[in-house]
């Protein structure tokens, strides 16, 4: 509790599963993914924990975007 998890590839698969587990444990979760639609669907999967999730479109090879993600 009181921690934040930043998960790349969070729009589905293992990234989404890890994000859900973190939210259920009381963590704030930042999910990033290339696909905006996948992020919208992922946020919906959080149900009652949706308020603890921030979704951001992100290409992990974009170094400049890492800095803005840290600020957000």
């Amino acid at each position: 509790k009181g921690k934040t998890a930043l998960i790349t590839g969070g729009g589905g698969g293992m990234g989404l599963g890890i994000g859900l587990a973190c939210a259920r444990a009381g963590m704030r979760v930042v999910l990033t993914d290339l696909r905006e639609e996948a992020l919208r669907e992922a946020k919906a999967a959080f149900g009652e924990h949706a308020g603890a999730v921030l979704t951001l479109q992100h290409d992990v090879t974009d170094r400049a975007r890492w800095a803005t993600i840290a600020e957000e």
Side-chain angles (χ1 to χ4, degrees):
K1 290 190 177 190
K3 295 184 179 187
T4 301
L6 170 63
I7 301 166
T8 60
M14 288 192 305
L16 176 56
I18 292 167
L20 287 166
C22 289
R24 290 176 185 141
M27 297 175 74
R28 294 178 304 261
V29 177
V30 179
L31 295 179
T32 71
D33 202 287
L34 279 172
R35 304 160 298 143
E36 287 186 59
E37 179 63 28
L39 289 170
R40 280 191 291 277
E41 291 174 11
K43 185 156 185 161
F46 278 78
E48 68 183 74
H49 300 288
V53 180
L54 173 64
T55 58
L56 301 170
Q57 185 178 19
H58 178 220
D59 177 346
V60 296
T61 65
D62 182 351
R63 291 180 183 224
R65 181 71 172 120
W66 280 106
T68 60
I69 285 174
E71 290 174 11
E72 290 179 47

